[in-house]
Amino acid sequence: MRELRYLFALLVGSKRKYVDPSRAVEILKDAFKSNDSQQQDVSEFTHKLLDWLEDAFQIKAEEERDGEKPKNPMVELFYGRFLAVGVLEGKKFENTEMFGQYPLQVNGFKDLHECLEAAMIEGEIESLHSENSGKSGQEHWFTELPPVLTFELSRFEFNQALGRPEKIHNKLEFPPILYLDRYMHKNREITRIKRDEIKRLKEYLTVLQQRLERYLSYGSGPKRFPLVDVLQYALEFASSKPVCTSPIDDIDASAPPSGTVTAQTIPSTTDQQGPSSSEIPSTSPVQRSVIHKPFTQSRIPPDLPMHPAPRHITEEELSVLEGCLHRWRTEVENDTRDLQESISRIHRTIELMYSDKSMVQVPYRLHAVLVHEGQANAGHYWAYIYDHHQRRWMKYNDISVTKSTWEELERDSFGGYRNASAYCLMYINDKEQFLIQEEFNKETGQMLVGMDTLPPDLKDYVKEDNKRFEKELEEWDAELAQKVQQEKLLASQTPRMPAPSSAPVQAGEPEYLEQPSRTDLSKHLKEDSVRAITKALAEQEDRSPETVMQMSSDNTSAQPAPNPRVVEVAIPDVGTFVIESEEGGYDDEVMLTPNMQGIIMAIGKARNVYDRCGPEAGFFKAIKFEYARLLKLAQDDPPPECDYRLHHAVVYFMQNEAPKKIIERTLLEQFGDHNLSFDERCRNIMKVAQAKLEMIKPDEVNMEEYERWHQEYRNYRETTMYLMVGLELFQKKSYMEALLYLIYAYQNNKELLSKGLYRGHDEELISHYRRECLLKLNEHAAALFESGDDQEVNNGLIVMNELIVPCLPLLLVDETEEKDIAAVEDMRNRWCSYLGQEMEPNLQEKLTDFLPKLLDCSTEIKGFNDPPKLPSYSTHELCERFARIMLSLSRTPADGR
């Protein structure tokens, strides 16, 4: 008892961040130790603690009594009485019993009142009111309620099949204010009347719900539909335009199926000279295969009826049928609405059954909720306690005491959310103000707070402990100051290395358009573009592209000719080119990119137009070819290893419905790439594109919006790199290194997908490998802990504390991600399973210190390390590596995907 007094006194007045309860806990462990030395359930521990305190106070009270009956504060605060009235084998009985914690079953009930109703009635209720009955049953009625009423929620049951206890995770709601009038003995008669009325209403409610179900699930077969919809469909069928032919009569059996073209349909040019493709009329029934295009609305042929229709129906028949169906549908709608309103009205009546003034006279306010997270054999405990003076909930989780809310309490305590739920509820009598009111000094009338509330002996004890704490702080400060001084002295004796003459050059950001001279999308882009456009307009308001090209040629010829070089380069899907290029004016990597391949092919296709009509016409034809090709890529649905968005920024913009001006300017930038100067035709078309860019007026393209779209595309490429590197490391079983890449890939991808479906990658894919990475690391850390070696145990706990624990809130923040939540529970259960095992004291201590961090129910996302540094990839290399890793995943599908 003395140690408990010291412990609570320190909680009131200590200057320490937290109080160490070890001495009191050790005494309690010795006092409550069971014969079999098994770990006790928390409810059993609470029962023993209350009994032990009751005995201790009883001894003290008997020593100090002056002829009067001793008062035991534990009994007066925590114990009440109830009257058990019943029938046992036809004989009536009444017993008065005392109770402390009132046990309630959780399984099968949705709220606290349902639990109480079931606990207060046992057996056949009718037998209690009849004179001659052989049935047995009893009712409980509270005759005296304690100021502090504790409900013990039974959330554990024994699984006979498995031979072990299991936790019940069902949701159970409880109110902040609980009215107990209906359970009081003085209200016995009125409560019985109301219970009979509720029983009658519930029986009537069941009948109404069954009737409503017949309207909402109509039909005699396995599939059922709302009757009002069935009548509506029948009405739509009858009202459809009649067809006079069989649904198969107007189909040519010799014609190929829709979406296919046979070899005989289009005559071969070697066998028969037919009209050219350009001369075939557009109305020809033979067209190219139908391809699903997600960005093009599918259209139904005009001659195909929308729905089946009756083949023969007269106006008179249709009029009668429509009248009947309209009337029946209206009747069904009215019946359904009446049933729904009646059901809602009965529900409301049942809810308000105990709301009259006579039944809200015994209010109890929720004061504390004790929460358990985990399984039956292990877990973590914390508590919510209401601060009546600050009028807020506080969360007490080991050494952490934080402000909380009713919403957080609901989430963690009601159950059904992860494996956390309340196992004990403490309500206090809302009319007993002495339970929450402050103490006042009898002489001065001032409110007592903190140390002033303690008796003299406890006040002296706390003061001594605070002095010891201040001395410990002084010693710690002196030790720290000495250590800093030694480090300074050591640093002054170490010779300094000479500073480098120049700072290292930082690697530039990868250019996804592969145009270093034109697509530096930094903050200076807008200023440079506006300056160039304004200068061009000032020189000549109406200048043609040919004039600009001529001026560029003149400027080029005026400069000293650089050293030419000849390079033979093989471009995939295009061919081999012998390129004459200026020194430093050609980039091998750029020529290999999908962008450049497409542009070179487009220019090649426009060759005839170029030769006949000149560079500007050739430019327009080439850009039209390229735009059509990219549009087709945007509408295709390729496998994951062939992501066209990575190949072309324009495909990304098209799929995400970027403004047309943004797409056009980006395409112009690509055609204006200086790497196209390897032959005369490409060089002239490049100059036309550059001239077009210079002629764009400032108000034609919103450069801020242009920058936003390109920045988002850079974010998409960066997310792709995180994902790609993370998956590569995962396949190499470098799980520690892979985790951070996958974490950032998931977070960045989630932000992208929040703006549109086609702005990121498959969320489930990244989620799966992030989850698998954590599970692999958890297994590794658990194996290190099981080894028992101090160094390996510490390494395992470092992995858990620095990698896994900070990631858990990321998996728990979204309640719909059931696989993530299940993975967290698997990791927690693995570590909780060690609680029941014998181990060295130092391992037990480390496990006890670590488990609260692992079992923390908070979803607050902690800070992470800085994002891992990404290497610089060209578009060609990025596409190849991404395709390789995605293809390897498709060959070896991951479990659970």
Side-chain angles (χ1 to χ4, degrees), residues 33 44 54 170 188 231 239 250 277 341 352 381 400 495 669 693 702 821 840 854 869 881 888:
K33 186 177 293 183
E44 184 182 359
E54 180 186 352
N170 299 354
R188 175 171 56 178
L231 294 171
S239 304
D250 58 347
S277 60
E341 289 175 355
L352 298 176
Y381 297 92
S400 172
E669 295 274 4
L693 280 170
N702 185 335
I821 293 174
E840 296 295 328
L854 180 66
K869 186 172 178 59
R881 289 184 62 174
S888 69

Side-chain angles (χ1 to χ4, degrees), residues 36 65 117 171-172 182 210 215 235 249 296 316 337 384 401 417 427 529 568 572 585 588 701 743 764 768 865 890:
D36 54 2
R65 70 175 179 175
E117 288 282 354
K171 184 177 181 180
L172 182 79
R182 71 184 80 174
Q210 290 173 349
Y215 282 94
L235 180 59
D249 288 346
T296 306
E316 183 180 357
R337 184 172 57 253
Y384 291 98
V401 180
Y417 175 74
Y427 282 86
S529 300
E568 184 177 281
D588 294 30
V701 178
I743 289 292
E764 176 58 29
H768 172 79
N865 298 330
S890 66

Side-chain angles (χ1 to χ4, degrees), residues 442-589:
K442 295 180 180 179
E443 298 178 357
T444 63
Q446 293 183 337
M447 186 172 64
L448 301 177
V449 293
M451 295 273 287
D452 295 333
T453 61
L454 299 176
D457 62 324
L458 294 181
K459 191 182 296 185
D460 292 339
Y461 177 80
V462 174
K463 285 180 179 178
E464 287 297 321
D465 186 77
N466 285 338
K467 287 179 181 178
R468 285 195 297 272
F469 179 57
E470 290 172 0
K471 187 176 180 180
E472 290 172 9
L473 288 178
E474 291 174 0
E475 293 174 354
W476 187 82
D477 289 339
E479 197 174 310
L480 184 62
Q482 184 179 2
K483 184 177 180 181
V484 171
Q485 190 66 28
Q486 290 175 351
E487 289 177 353
K488 286 183 178 180
L489 183 62
L490 185 62
S492 64
Q493 294 174 354
T494 304
R496 296 187 178 182
M497 299 295 293
S501 58
S502 61
V505 180
Q506 293 184 351
E509 184 178 331
E511 295 292 345
Y512 58 84
L513 294 180
E514 311 299 345
Q515 303 171 57
S517 63
R518 286 251 170 217
T519 56
D520 180 16
L521 299 172
S522 64
K523 62 181 180 180
H524 304 296
L525 176 61
K526 183 178 178 182
E527 300 173 5
D528 294 343
S529 300
V530 172
R531 193 181 304 114
I533 294 168
T534 307
K535 180 180 178 182
L537 289 173
E539 291 177 354
Q540 185 174 347
E541 184 67 24
D542 187 20
R543 185 195 300 179
S544 66
E546 288 79 0
T547 308
V548 178
M549 288 171 55
Q550 186 62 42
M551 288 186 64
S552 301
S553 300
D554 295 341
N555 293 337
T556 304
S557 60
Q559 297 173 357
N563 297 326
R565 65 180 178 131
V566 178
V567 180
E568 184 177 281
V569 58
I571 301 178
D573 304 324
V574 177
T576 303
F577 288 82
V578 177
I579 298 171
E580 294 183 4
S581 175
E582 300 170 356
E583 188 70 36
Y586 164 72
D587 188 337
D588 294 30
E589 284 289 343

Side-chain angles (χ1 to χ4, degrees), residues 2 22 28 138 151 181 240 353 385 453 481 508 513 526 530 585 617 629 672 719 785 810 877:
R2 181 177 65 253
S22 300
L28 290 173
Q138 62 176 312
F151 292 116
D181 303 75
S240 298
M353 186 64 69
I385 302 177
T453 61
L513 294 180
K526 183 178 178 182
V530 172
R629 185 181 73 88
T719 302
F785 183 82
L810 295 175
E877 184 183 5

Side-chain angles (χ1 to χ4, degrees), residues 97 138 670 691 755 784 857 876:
E97 299 181 26
Q138 62 176 312
Q670 295 179 1
K755 301 175 183 177
L784 292 176
C857 205
H876 178 65

